[in-house]
Amino acid sequence: MKPDETEEFILLNQIVITEEFLNSHPSIEKTQQVLNHVKRTGCLDEPITINRDTKILKDGYRRYIAAQQVGMELIPIIYEK
C-alpha cells in the first residue's frame, strides 16, 4: 500500500538529513502519533518530500523518524516542486 501522491520509493538511507532537521526538536506527541500510525498500518500516511537531485529531505522529518524507528527500508517520496 502506498500513500496518495507517491512518485516513487527510495531507500531510507539515501535520504540526506540536514543539520537544520537534526537540530530541530519535533513534538514528541505528534511524532508518536505518526509512529503509532506506521506500527498500525505498516506504512506512512503520506510521502516524504525530497530534492530530486540532492536527495535532501525538505518535508516529513517526523515521518522519517518514525520510518527509521520501525526499520522501514523503502520510503514513499515525492519530489520538491
Side-chain angles (χ1 to χ4, degrees), residues 1-3 6 8-15 38 42-44 48 63 67-68 70-77:
M1 189 166 116
K2 69 177 186 173
T6 299
E8 67 178 292
F9 288 83
I10 67 169
L11 293 172
L12 180 70
N13 64 9
Q14 290 180 309
I15 299 172
V38 173
C43 64
L44 296 174
I48 290 173
R63 295 186 300 277
Q68 191 175 46
V70 299
M72 288 179 79
E73 290 183 21
L74 282 177
I75 306 302
I77 57 105

Side-chain angles (χ1 to χ4, degrees), residues 17-80:
I17 307 301
T18 62
E19 289 292 322
E20 182 181 351
F21 279 118
L22 292 174
N23 293 328
S24 70
H25 302 287
S27 159
I28 294 171
E29 188 175 294
K30 289 181 180 180
T31 303
Q32 188 62 49
Q33 289 173 355
V34 174
L35 185 58
N36 290 344
H37 175 83
V38 173
K39 286 179 177 178
R40 189 175 62 252
T41 65
C43 64
L44 296 174
D45 59 341
E46 58 183 278
I48 290 173
T49 304
I50 65 170
N51 177 282
R52 183 179 298 276
D53 299 320
T54 63
K55 305 286 191 263
I56 291 175
L57 179 74
K58 294 299 181 176
D59 187 45
Y61 188 51
R62 280 191 196 95
R63 295 186 300 277
Y64 175 88
I65 292 170
Q68 191 175 46
Q69 287 184 3
V70 299
M72 288 179 79
E73 290 183 21
L74 282 177
I75 306 302
I77 57 105
I78 58 173
Y79 292 108
E80 177 181 47

